[in-house]
Amino acid sequence: MKALVTFLILILALPLSAKDTYIKFGVGQQDGLNGGNNAKEYSLTVGRKLNDIFAAEVKTRTKLKDQSTGNDQRAEFALIGSLDMFYLRAGAGRKFERNKDHGYWHAEPGVKFKLTDTWSFKTGVRFRDSFDPVYEQSDTTYKFGFSKKLNDNNSISINSKFKRGDSQYNSIGIGYKYKF
């Protein structure tokens, strides 16, 4: 419930009627490593291009794990700066899980470039850590993916993530993006 309230407050900062606004939906499957949990992940992102260099996003994510560990949710904000094919996504968020809600920061440098008029490739490395070290949430996620532009407003993507650190998993996911 806290994640939903936080997300609704954040989403009000990015009106859907604004030009250069987009919404992304994602679904993924995670395979836990070294005793980690398998999980399904669902995400919703709302973003807005602020100018030729910067964009802002709010994102919520729900991870469905097994009954013994429980599910968790996240709500986060990010500012993305892009210059030519390079980008930097940085921000903060809140993770909601059984008796361990906590805030964290994240930073992701990467590259995104067009392969053709409709296909593009993106890769980056996400660094994340909790503000309070008692939560032991320091990790690095290696990401890459391909997207296909269907038309001026619609695109689909396939991506993969390899997370290492306090928790470890490999995942694959698909996404859909609609630009207003």
Side-chain angles (χ1 to χ4, degrees):
M1 183 61 167
K2 291 178 188 176
L4 180 60
V5 171
T6 303
F7 178 72
L8 290 174
I9 291 169
L10 291 173
I11 205 168
L12 293 175
L14 298 172
L16 291 176
S17 61
K19 183 180 177 198
D20 294 325
T21 299
Y22 55 90
I23 188 165
K24 296 189 279 189
F25 302 96
V27 177
Q29 174 66 45
Q30 298 178 356
D31 294 322
L33 301 174
N34 301 325
N37 299 306
N38 295 341
K40 288 186 175 36
E41 182 177 291
Y42 303 93
S43 64
L44 171 66
T45 305
V46 177
R48 182 173 176 198
K49 188 173 178 181
L50 304 173
N51 58 35
D52 289 338
I53 296 175
F54 292 104
E57 289 183 345
V58 291
K59 178 180 180 178
T60 186
R61 187 226 56 192
T62 297
K63 187 184 289 187
L64 303 177
K65 300 186 245 181
D66 64 41
Q67 293 296 336
S68 64
T69 56
N71 302 327
D72 69 66
Q73 295 179 315
R74 289 188 190 165
E76 67 182 37
F77 170 80
L79 187 62
I80 302 110
S82 301
L83 192 57
D84 295 323
M85 63 186 225
F86 301 100
Y87 73 89
L88 175 63
R89 183 180 193 277
R94 186 118 182 118
K95 184 174 182 179
F96 304 95
E97 60 182 334
R98 214 185 291 172
N99 302 320
K100 295 194 295 186
D101 294 358
H102 64 276
Y104 61 89
W105 62 266
H106 58 91
E108 178 185 327
V111 295
K112 181 177 181 179
F113 53 92
K114 285 186 167 192
L115 300 171
T116 68
D117 286 341
T118 58
W119 284 95
S120 62
F121 175 76
K122 181 178 179 179
T123 186
V125 180
R126 176 181 159 113
F127 303 96
R128 182 180 67 91
D129 201 352
S130 56
F131 291 121
D132 187 341
V134 73
Y135 292 105
E136 298 179 357
Q137 291 288 307
S138 178
D139 53 58
T140 303
T141 305
Y142 305 93
K143 304 164 106 179
F144 69 90
F146 293 92
S147 63
K148 177 163 178 46
K149 184 177 175 181
L150 303 174
N151 57 39
D152 287 342
N153 296 335
N154 297 279
S155 62
I156 55 173
S157 62
I158 185 165
N159 55 64
S160 189
K161 299 187 288 189
F162 304 95
K163 183 177 177 184
R164 301 297 183 263
D166 292 321
S167 64
Q168 300 186 53
Y169 64 77
N170 297 331
S171 75
I172 188 160
I174 57 172
Y176 169 75
K177 179 179 178 181
Y178 178 76
K179 190 170 87 176
F180 293 88

